[in-house]
Short mmCIF file of all heavy atoms in Angstrom, two decimals:
data_model
loop_
_atom_site.label_atom_id
_atom_site.label_comp_id
_atom_site.label_asym_id
_atom_site.label_seq_id
_atom_site.Cartn_x
_atom_site.Cartn_y
_atom_site.Cartn_z
N LYS W 1 0.85 -1.19 0.00
CA LYS W 1 0.00 0.00 0.00
C LYS W 1 0.89 1.24 0.00
O LYS W 1 2.04 1.19 0.44
CB LYS W 1 -0.93 0.02 1.23
CG LYS W 1 -1.94 -1.13 1.28
CD LYS W 1 -2.99 -1.00 0.19
CE LYS W 1 -4.02 -2.13 0.27
NZ LYS W 1 -5.03 -2.03 -0.80
N VAL W 2 0.34 2.34 -0.51
CA VAL W 2 1.06 3.60 -0.47
C VAL W 2 0.26 4.57 0.38
O VAL W 2 -0.91 4.86 0.09
CB VAL W 2 1.29 4.18 -1.88
CG1 VAL W 2 2.12 5.46 -1.79
CG2 VAL W 2 1.98 3.16 -2.78
N LEU W 3 0.85 5.04 1.45
CA LEU W 3 0.16 5.85 2.45
C LEU W 3 -0.53 7.06 1.83
O LEU W 3 0.11 7.88 1.15
CB LEU W 3 1.19 6.32 3.49
CG LEU W 3 0.68 6.94 4.78
CD1 LEU W 3 -0.20 5.98 5.55
CD2 LEU W 3 1.86 7.38 5.65
N CYS W 4 -1.84 7.13 2.03
CA CYS W 4 -2.66 8.27 1.56
C CYS W 4 -2.65 8.42 0.03
O CYS W 4 -2.93 9.51 -0.49
CB CYS W 4 -2.22 9.57 2.21
SG CYS W 4 -2.37 9.56 4.01
N HIS W 5 -2.36 7.35 -0.68
CA HIS W 5 -2.42 7.33 -2.14
C HIS W 5 -3.20 6.09 -2.57
O HIS W 5 -3.36 5.14 -1.80
CB HIS W 5 -1.02 7.31 -2.76
CG HIS W 5 -0.32 8.63 -2.69
ND1 HIS W 5 -0.52 9.62 -3.63
CD2 HIS W 5 0.56 9.13 -1.80
CE1 HIS W 5 0.23 10.68 -3.31
NE2 HIS W 5 0.90 10.40 -2.20
N GLY W 6 -3.65 6.09 -3.82
CA GLY W 6 -4.46 4.98 -4.29
C GLY W 6 -5.75 4.92 -3.48
O GLY W 6 -6.43 5.93 -3.30
N ASP W 7 -6.06 3.75 -2.92
CA ASP W 7 -7.27 3.61 -2.12
C ASP W 7 -6.98 3.64 -0.62
O ASP W 7 -7.82 3.29 0.20
CB ASP W 7 -8.02 2.33 -2.48
CG ASP W 7 -7.22 1.06 -2.17
OD1 ASP W 7 -6.07 1.20 -1.71
OD2 ASP W 7 -7.75 -0.04 -2.39
N TYR W 8 -5.77 4.06 -0.25
CA TYR W 8 -5.38 4.11 1.17
C TYR W 8 -5.83 5.45 1.76
O TYR W 8 -5.27 6.50 1.47
CB TYR W 8 -3.86 3.97 1.29
CG TYR W 8 -3.37 3.58 2.67
CD1 TYR W 8 -2.70 2.38 2.87
CD2 TYR W 8 -3.55 4.41 3.77
CE1 TYR W 8 -2.22 2.02 4.12
CE2 TYR W 8 -3.09 4.06 5.02
CZ TYR W 8 -2.43 2.86 5.19
OH TYR W 8 -1.97 2.51 6.43
N GLN W 9 -6.85 5.42 2.60
CA GLN W 9 -7.39 6.62 3.21
C GLN W 9 -6.47 7.17 4.30
O GLN W 9 -5.74 6.42 4.95
CB GLN W 9 -8.77 6.34 3.81
CG GLN W 9 -9.81 5.90 2.79
CD GLN W 9 -10.04 6.93 1.70
OE1 GLN W 9 -10.30 8.09 1.99
NE2 GLN W 9 -9.92 6.51 0.45
N LYS W 10 -6.53 8.46 4.52
CA LYS W 10 -5.72 9.10 5.56
C LYS W 10 -6.09 8.54 6.92
O LYS W 10 -7.26 8.55 7.31
CB LYS W 10 -5.94 10.62 5.53
CG LYS W 10 -5.18 11.39 6.60
CD LYS W 10 -5.19 12.88 6.31
CE LYS W 10 -6.56 13.49 6.43
NZ LYS W 10 -7.03 13.56 7.84
N PRO W 11 -5.12 8.03 7.68
CA PRO W 11 -5.41 7.49 9.01
C PRO W 11 -6.03 8.54 9.93
O PRO W 11 -5.75 9.74 9.80
CB PRO W 11 -4.04 7.05 9.52
CG PRO W 11 -3.24 6.78 8.28
CD PRO W 11 -3.71 7.82 7.30
N LEU W 12 -6.83 8.09 10.87
CA LEU W 12 -7.52 9.01 11.78
C LEU W 12 -6.56 9.83 12.62
O LEU W 12 -6.87 10.95 13.02
CB LEU W 12 -8.46 8.21 12.69
CG LEU W 12 -9.66 7.52 12.01
CD1 LEU W 12 -10.45 6.70 13.01
CD2 LEU W 12 -10.56 8.56 11.33
N GLY W 13 -5.38 9.27 12.89
CA GLY W 13 -4.41 9.98 13.72
C GLY W 13 -3.61 11.04 12.98
O GLY W 13 -2.80 11.74 13.58
N PHE W 14 -3.83 11.16 11.67
CA PHE W 14 -3.13 12.17 10.88
C PHE W 14 -4.02 13.41 10.77
O PHE W 14 -5.14 13.33 10.25
CB PHE W 14 -2.86 11.68 9.46
CG PHE W 14 -1.82 10.60 9.34
CD1 PHE W 14 -1.36 9.89 10.44
CD2 PHE W 14 -1.30 10.27 8.10
CE1 PHE W 14 -0.41 8.89 10.32
CE2 PHE W 14 -0.35 9.27 7.95
CZ PHE W 14 0.09 8.58 9.06
N TYR W 15 -3.53 14.55 11.24
CA TYR W 15 -4.27 15.80 11.01
C TYR W 15 -4.24 16.15 9.52
O TYR W 15 -5.23 16.58 8.94
CB TYR W 15 -3.67 16.94 11.84
CG TYR W 15 -4.29 18.27 11.53
CD1 TYR W 15 -5.55 18.60 12.04
CD2 TYR W 15 -3.63 19.21 10.71
CE1 TYR W 15 -6.14 19.82 11.74
CE2 TYR W 15 -4.21 20.43 10.42
CZ TYR W 15 -5.47 20.73 10.94
OH TYR W 15 -6.05 21.94 10.63
N GLY W 16 -3.07 15.98 8.91
CA GLY W 16 -2.91 16.25 7.49
C GLY W 16 -1.76 15.43 6.94
O GLY W 16 -1.01 14.80 7.70
N PHE W 17 -1.63 15.46 5.62
CA PHE W 17 -0.57 14.66 5.00
C PHE W 17 -0.11 15.35 3.72
O PHE W 17 -0.92 15.90 2.96
CB PHE W 17 -1.08 13.25 4.67
CG PHE W 17 -0.01 12.33 4.16
CD1 PHE W 17 0.90 11.75 5.02
CD2 PHE W 17 0.11 12.06 2.80
CE1 PHE W 17 1.90 10.90 4.57
CE2 PHE W 17 1.11 11.23 2.32
CZ PHE W 17 2.01 10.64 3.21
N ASP W 18 1.19 15.31 3.50
CA ASP W 18 1.79 15.89 2.29
C ASP W 18 1.77 14.83 1.19
O ASP W 18 2.49 13.83 1.29
CB ASP W 18 3.22 16.33 2.59
CG ASP W 18 4.00 16.69 1.33
OD1 ASP W 18 3.36 16.99 0.29
OD2 ASP W 18 5.24 16.69 1.40
N PRO W 19 0.99 15.03 0.11
CA PRO W 19 0.93 14.02 -0.95
C PRO W 19 2.23 13.85 -1.72
O PRO W 19 2.39 12.90 -2.48
CB PRO W 19 -0.19 14.55 -1.86
CG PRO W 19 -0.21 16.02 -1.62
CD PRO W 19 0.13 16.20 -0.17
N GLY W 20 3.19 14.76 -1.50
CA GLY W 20 4.48 14.63 -2.15
C GLY W 20 5.34 13.52 -1.58
O GLY W 20 6.34 13.13 -2.20
N LYS W 21 4.98 13.00 -0.41
CA LYS W 21 5.71 11.86 0.16
C LYS W 21 5.02 10.57 -0.27
O LYS W 21 3.82 10.40 -0.05
CB LYS W 21 5.75 11.96 1.69
CG LYS W 21 6.73 12.99 2.22
CD LYS W 21 8.16 12.55 2.01
CE LYS W 21 9.15 13.62 2.40
NZ LYS W 21 9.20 13.90 3.83
N LEU W 22 5.79 9.68 -0.83
CA LEU W 22 5.28 8.37 -1.25
C LEU W 22 5.84 7.33 -0.29
O LEU W 22 7.00 6.90 -0.41
CB LEU W 22 5.69 8.07 -2.69
CG LEU W 22 5.30 9.15 -3.72
CD1 LEU W 22 5.76 8.75 -5.12
CD2 LEU W 22 3.80 9.41 -3.70
N VAL W 23 5.01 6.97 0.69
CA VAL W 23 5.42 6.05 1.73
C VAL W 23 4.80 4.69 1.43
O VAL W 23 3.59 4.51 1.55
CB VAL W 23 4.98 6.55 3.12
CG1 VAL W 23 5.45 5.59 4.21
CG2 VAL W 23 5.52 7.96 3.37
N VAL W 24 5.63 3.75 1.01
CA VAL W 24 5.15 2.42 0.62
C VAL W 24 5.15 1.52 1.86
O VAL W 24 6.20 1.27 2.46
CB VAL W 24 6.04 1.81 -0.47
CG1 VAL W 24 5.47 0.46 -0.92
CG2 VAL W 24 6.16 2.76 -1.66
N ILE W 25 3.96 1.05 2.25
CA ILE W 25 3.82 0.20 3.41
C ILE W 25 4.19 -1.24 3.01
O ILE W 25 3.52 -1.85 2.19
CB ILE W 25 2.38 0.23 3.97
CG1 ILE W 25 1.92 1.69 4.16
CG2 ILE W 25 2.30 -0.55 5.27
CD1 ILE W 25 2.82 2.51 5.04
N THR W 26 5.26 -1.74 3.60
CA THR W 26 5.77 -3.07 3.23
C THR W 26 5.60 -4.09 4.36
O THR W 26 6.07 -5.22 4.26
CB THR W 26 7.25 -2.99 2.85
OG1 THR W 26 7.99 -2.49 3.98
CG2 THR W 26 7.46 -2.07 1.67
N LYS W 27 4.92 -3.67 5.42
CA LYS W 27 4.68 -4.55 6.56
C LYS W 27 3.89 -5.79 6.10
O LYS W 27 2.92 -5.69 5.35
CB LYS W 27 3.87 -3.77 7.60
CG LYS W 27 3.68 -4.45 8.92
CD LYS W 27 2.91 -3.50 9.84
CE LYS W 27 2.65 -4.14 11.19
NZ LYS W 27 1.87 -3.22 12.07
N ASP W 28 4.33 -6.96 6.52
CA ASP W 28 3.66 -8.23 6.20
C ASP W 28 3.63 -8.51 4.69
O ASP W 28 2.66 -9.05 4.16
CB ASP W 28 2.23 -8.25 6.75
CG ASP W 28 2.20 -8.10 8.26
OD1 ASP W 28 3.10 -8.65 8.93
OD2 ASP W 28 1.30 -7.42 8.77
N THR W 29 4.70 -8.12 4.00
CA THR W 29 4.83 -8.40 2.57
C THR W 29 6.07 -9.25 2.34
O THR W 29 6.92 -9.38 3.23
CB THR W 29 4.95 -7.11 1.74
OG1 THR W 29 6.22 -6.50 2.03
CG2 THR W 29 3.82 -6.14 2.05
N PRO W 30 6.24 -9.84 1.15
CA PRO W 30 7.43 -10.64 0.87
C PRO W 30 8.73 -9.82 0.87
O PRO W 30 9.81 -10.37 1.05
CB PRO W 30 7.17 -11.21 -0.52
CG PRO W 30 5.70 -11.13 -0.69
CD PRO W 30 5.26 -9.92 0.06
N LEU W 31 8.61 -8.50 0.65
CA LEU W 31 9.79 -7.65 0.61
C LEU W 31 9.64 -6.52 1.64
O LEU W 31 9.45 -5.36 1.28
CB LEU W 31 9.99 -7.06 -0.79
CG LEU W 31 10.36 -8.02 -1.91
CD1 LEU W 31 10.38 -7.29 -3.24
CD2 LEU W 31 11.72 -8.67 -1.64
N PRO W 32 9.71 -6.83 2.92
CA PRO W 32 9.55 -5.78 3.92
C PRO W 32 10.80 -4.90 4.02
O PRO W 32 11.92 -5.36 3.80
CB PRO W 32 9.34 -6.57 5.21
CG PRO W 32 10.07 -7.85 4.98
CD PRO W 32 9.92 -8.15 3.52
N GLY W 33 10.56 -3.64 4.33
CA GLY W 33 11.64 -2.73 4.67
C GLY W 33 12.82 -2.69 3.73
O GLY W 33 12.71 -2.34 2.55
N ILE W 34 13.98 -3.11 4.25
CA ILE W 34 15.24 -3.03 3.52
C ILE W 34 15.19 -3.85 2.23
O ILE W 34 15.73 -3.45 1.20
CB ILE W 34 16.41 -3.52 4.40
CG1 ILE W 34 16.48 -2.71 5.70
CG2 ILE W 34 17.72 -3.43 3.63
CD1 ILE W 34 16.71 -1.23 5.49
N ALA W 35 14.53 -4.99 2.25
CA ALA W 35 14.44 -5.84 1.06
C ALA W 35 13.72 -5.11 -0.07
O ALA W 35 14.12 -5.23 -1.24
CB ALA W 35 13.72 -7.15 1.39
N PHE W 36 12.68 -4.39 0.26
CA PHE W 36 11.96 -3.62 -0.75
C PHE W 36 12.87 -2.54 -1.34
O PHE W 36 12.94 -2.34 -2.56
CB PHE W 36 10.71 -2.97 -0.15
CG PHE W 36 9.94 -2.11 -1.11
CD1 PHE W 36 9.03 -2.67 -1.99
CD2 PHE W 36 10.14 -0.73 -1.13
CE1 PHE W 36 8.33 -1.87 -2.89
CE2 PHE W 36 9.44 0.08 -2.02
CZ PHE W 36 8.53 -0.50 -2.90
N GLY W 37 13.61 -1.86 -0.46
CA GLY W 37 14.54 -0.83 -0.92
C GLY W 37 15.61 -1.40 -1.82
O GLY W 37 15.98 -0.81 -2.84
N ASN W 38 16.11 -2.58 -1.48
CA ASN W 38 17.14 -3.21 -2.30
C ASN W 38 16.58 -3.64 -3.65
O ASN W 38 17.27 -3.55 -4.68
CB ASN W 38 17.72 -4.42 -1.57
CG ASN W 38 18.64 -4.02 -0.43
OD1 ASN W 38 19.16 -2.90 -0.41
ND2 ASN W 38 18.82 -4.90 0.54
N PHE W 39 15.34 -4.11 -3.67
CA PHE W 39 14.72 -4.47 -4.95
C PHE W 39 14.64 -3.24 -5.85
O PHE W 39 14.97 -3.29 -7.04
CB PHE W 39 13.32 -5.05 -4.75
CG PHE W 39 12.56 -5.20 -6.04
CD1 PHE W 39 12.77 -6.31 -6.86
CD2 PHE W 39 11.65 -4.23 -6.46
CE1 PHE W 39 12.09 -6.43 -8.07
CE2 PHE W 39 10.97 -4.35 -7.66
CZ PHE W 39 11.18 -5.45 -8.46
N MET W 40 14.18 -2.14 -5.28
CA MET W 40 14.06 -0.91 -6.07
C MET W 40 15.43 -0.45 -6.56
O MET W 40 15.58 -0.02 -7.70
CB MET W 40 13.39 0.19 -5.23
CG MET W 40 11.91 -0.02 -5.03
SD MET W 40 11.01 0.11 -6.61
CE MET W 40 9.45 -0.65 -6.16
#
């Protein structure tokens, strides 16, 4: 998922969000964290 992009709604704890940041959520995926970065 990409935070606040696509179909990912802004979390309730966020007052606001800068759409210029593309935060890819890799939790519980085959390429979490560093592995995703290395793939890219």
Side-chain angles (χ1 to χ4, degrees):
K1 297 291 182 181
V2 184
L3 192 60
C4 299
H5 285 276
D7 64 358
Y8 198 117
Q9 299 300 307
K10 178 167 67 70
L12 293 177
F14 290 14
Y15 174 77
F17 186 78
D18 169 21
K21 285 289 174 68
L22 306 180
V23 182
V24 184
I25 309 304
T26 60
K27 188 178 179 181
D28 300 323
T29 69
L31 292 175
I34 303 299
F36 177 83
N38 287 338
F39 170 82
M40 286 294 163

